[in-house]
Amino acid sequence: MSLILAIDQGTTSTRAIAFEVAPQAAPSASGERHQDLRPIAVSQIELAQHFPNSGWVEHDAAEIWSATLQTCREVVRKAGGVARFAAIGITNQRETAVLWDASTGEPLHRAIVWQDRRTADVTARLTAEGHEPMVQAATGLILDPYFSATKFAWLLDAVPGSRERAAKGEVRLGTIDAWLIWKLTGGQVHATDATNASRTALMDLKTVEWRGDLCALFNVPREALPEIVPCAGVIGECDPALFGRALPIAGSAGDQQAALVGHGALKAGDAKITYGTGAFLVANVGAEPVASTRRLLGTLGYQADGQTAYALEGSIFSAGSAIQWLRDGVGLISESRQSEAMAQGLPDNGGVYMVPGFTGLGAPWWEPEARGTVVGLTRDSGPAHFVRAALEALAYQTRDLLDALAQDGAPPLKTLKVDGGVTANSFAMQFVADICEVEVERPAFQEMTALGAARLAALGVGLLPDLEARPAEAPACWKPRMKTEERERLLSGWRRAVKAAIIAAPDRA
Ligand code: ADP
């Protein structure tokens, strides 16, 4: 019984991965052989996306459940049977809201996905009424349709009779973790882990409890909400009929937080950034929440073993998507990985900067109307300059986020742990190290989200002593080596380019 079944319920697919608790291949310097998790089987099913209106995004929660069951069963079979498993860990797309019937266990509406903007009018009204400072102080979040609270209220308003039924405990609300816990336990447990709860805008970030005043403000009945539980520890047992034996659900965390744990970014000053289509930074700030003045999000890192780690979060809207655009939109490259050799082929950026504000600029600029901009073109500029500028922009945008963190008084950054498709690009990772003046570390195993969920579950049933990462293979590392003068010159070029992007925004012209 040394396997963990990790469920990774993401926006575009549902996956199950079996992890084995295994000793490191080589003993450490002290002669010990540490234990960590190693993947041995995986199964994945794509998830249908529904776009019923402009700005609306929905998932079918019943489809999510059946895909979860199917991928888990396949992985259990591939890994040699349920008898080998000790526990289940869950990680999920955060903020996505589900409403279901407590007696039938059937969803009462399609789930409203985190990207969905249908409640923008509600958060705009609450902002105009002056509620944002209170909401931010209590929850760490800003007023935005992104978070679950307004989605929950919308669902209750959309399904006739559900508000009355909520008061009687006949319907339930929850994020995807809560939905899966309910289904896995055959309706026995209605619980959400503290990280998912921290994304609803209903939870007090300090006390880690639902707040009556926020439930009232957002019009969400407390009775329909799940119980908030820590990320590690037994939450409930799954229905034995599902896999042939009851398994404890012993770990749960939202995807970005699970990745933080997967990376072993456990101390204040540890941070992880996932460079995929967009990029998501989560920085561990320690045992007390840090209030952001730069509109970073205050959130829970994880709660396990009696400890609570807080985090600040910021995202870059366009990261790998700039490379995708050069490949699929402009046709400058035919494969993403060509970008590395092209960028490296130039001695420098030739004064060309690209601000990939395709969908506006996020933290710390918050210019939703800004658009993509290229500055500094000369007759010498060629395709490689565009490619290099797109890769360099990753580093400049990361620097902006790290500067915002520092201005918020977050503990100084120790290492930046990275994962995601773009981290295959060594030029980009070296440039991040140089521009951000921080050591960049990329683990050999990249599935940080599933790994984090598995590690929480392994801790939850005592298969691992703590959450420390003790990977079998050493990470790749990039150390800063750029001269200060050059960095300053590049950063001032970047700042001029951002200004140009903001000035050129349609609402400024
Ligand atoms: P997501 O999970 O957001 O779909 P991934 O982590 O799979 O993203 O990363 C995909 C992104 O990484 C794409 O935008 C792609 O252009 C970019 N990418 C992949 N390989 C490279 C590379 N070698 N250099 C630069 N970008 C890359």
Side-chain angles (χ1 to χ4, degrees):
M1 287 219 303
S2 60
L3 302 189
I4 301 288
L5 177 58
I7 298 167
D8 180 357
Q9 205 303 301
T11 310
T12 55
S13 75
T14 304
R15 294 190 313 150
I17 303 185
F19 285 91
E20 179 176 38
V21 181
Q24 276 179 323
S28 66
S30 60
E32 276 174 279
R33 262 177 213 271
H34 293 305
Q35 305 260 312
D36 203 0
L37 295 166
R38 196 169 60 90
I40 60 163
V42 59
S43 168
Q44 174 164 352
I45 296 178
E46 298 305 310
L47 179 61
Q49 313 288 316
H50 302 276
F51 307 104
N53 266 313
S54 163
W56 293 29
V57 189
E58 296 180 347
H59 287 160
D60 178 352
E63 180 188 346
I64 287 178
W65 167 237
S66 66
T68 302
L69 203 52
Q70 197 180 329
T71 51
C72 285
R73 283 180 173 152
E74 192 177 327
V75 156
V76 166
R77 187 181 51 73
K78 282 187 189 166
V82 70
R84 300 190 63 204
F85 284 83
I88 297 175
I90 300 173
T91 181
N92 59 292
Q93 49 166 323
R94 305 173 303 173
E95 297 102 9
T96 298
V98 190
L99 171 70
W100 68 92
D101 186 309
S103 52
T104 65
E106 292 301 320
L108 291 165
H109 193 279
R110 284 220 190 107
I112 305 185
V113 178
W114 57 275
Q115 296 133 320
D116 192 292
R117 308 298 293 174
R118 77 183 65 184
T119 56
D121 58 332
V122 180
T123 51
R125 175 176 56 76
L126 293 174
T127 305
E129 288 170 6
H131 294 291
E132 188 166 79
M134 184 282 266
V135 171
Q136 197 184 16
T139 67
L141 308 174
I142 55 174
L143 272 172
D144 192 274
Y146 184 14
F147 307 107
S148 318
T150 56
K151 295 175 155 91
F152 287 150
W154 190 96
L155 285 168
L156 289 170
D157 291 334
V159 177
S162 59
R163 280 199 175 279
E164 298 74 53
R165 296 188 65 205
K168 292 189 268 175
E170 292 176 6
V171 303
R172 303 295 164 115
L173 290 167
T175 41
I176 295 293
D177 58 316
W179 166 243
L180 293 181
I181 290 167
W182 178 273
K183 296 302 278 182
L184 284 165
T185 60
Q188 296 300 304
V189 179
H190 189 208
T192 187
D193 87 90
T195 67
N196 274 290
S198 79
R199 317 295 298 183
T200 56
L202 299 170
M203 190 193 86
D204 187 297
L205 196 54
K206 277 217 175 77
T207 63
V208 192
E209 286 167 354
W210 300 126
R211 273 178 65 140
D213 57 348
L214 292 173
C215 289
L217 181 70
F218 288 105
N219 200 14
V220 175
R222 166 73 189 82
E223 306 77 51
L225 292 174
E227 181 194 350
I228 303 175
V229 296
C231 306
V234 176
I235 300 168
E237 297 250 304
C238 81
D239 181 345
L242 296 176
F243 309 116
R245 188 166 76 82
L247 286 174
I249 303 166
S252 182
D255 52 11
Q256 299 306 319
Q257 282 92 341
L260 190 77
V261 172
H263 274 289
L266 306 177
K267 297 191 188 68
D270 287 341
K272 76 94 201 170
I273 186 161
T274 302
Y275 288 112
T277 310
F280 293 90
L281 171 78
V282 182
N284 188 328
V285 299
E288 292 295 325
V290 171
S292 177
T293 55
R294 305 295 314 272
R295 290 175 80 77
L296 296 174
L297 302 174
T299 196
L300 214 122
Y302 58 88
Q303 199 182 41
D305 250 359
Q307 291 183 340
T308 304
Y310 287 94
L312 280 174
E313 184 174 318
S315 42
I316 297 169
F317 299 153
S318 302
S321 59
I323 298 299
Q324 252 164 8
W325 173 71
L326 290 177
R327 186 191 62 196
D328 306 336
V330 191
L332 277 188
I333 48 176
S334 53
E335 284 182 70
S336 296
R337 62 187 171 82
Q338 278 177 294
S339 61
E340 181 168 351
M342 277 176 90
Q344 219 122 37
L346 292 176
D348 55 39
N349 67 9
V352 179
Y353 294 86
M354 179 188 294
V355 182
F358 302 112
T359 51
L361 292 174
W365 307 100
W366 295 108
E367 291 283 352
E369 301 302 327
R371 288 295 173 262
T373 304
V374 178
V375 305
L377 295 174
T378 66
R379 281 298 301 272
D380 292 334
S381 310
H385 289 93
F386 280 82
V387 170
R388 181 160 175 145
L391 291 175
E392 286 193 359
L394 285 170
Y396 302 132
Q397 293 185 96
T398 307
R399 171 80 195 216
D400 289 343
L401 282 182
L402 298 184
D403 284 348
L405 268 182
Q407 285 156 5
D408 276 341
L413 206 65
K414 292 193 198 113
T415 32
L416 187 62
K417 320 240 185 189
V418 298
D419 62 291
V422 184
T423 64
N425 192 310
S426 282
F427 168 82
M429 293 304 106
Q430 180 60 51
F431 207 75
V432 170
D434 284 337
I435 291 297
C436 300
E437 298 172 77
V438 69
E439 199 168 310
V440 172
E441 212 177 271
R442 183 190 67 205
F445 176 65
Q446 287 277 299
E447 301 289 350
M448 287 297 125
T449 309
L451 177 61
R455 208 180 276 144
L456 287 164
L459 173 70
V461 290
L463 269 182
L464 286 174
D466 52 42
L467 291 175
E468 276 320 313
R470 300 176 178 94
E473 284 174 72
C477 279
W478 292 270
K479 290 186 178 17
R481 58 182 191 208
M482 186 180 274
K483 293 211 170 67
T484 309
E485 209 173 280
E486 190 182 356
R487 178 168 47 242
E488 290 306 324
R489 184 177 60 76
L490 290 167
L491 280 169
S492 86
W494 165 252
R495 284 180 196 127
R496 272 185 282 116
V498 171
K499 255 188 221 149
I502 293 171
I503 291 169
D507 64 337
R508 302 290 173 101

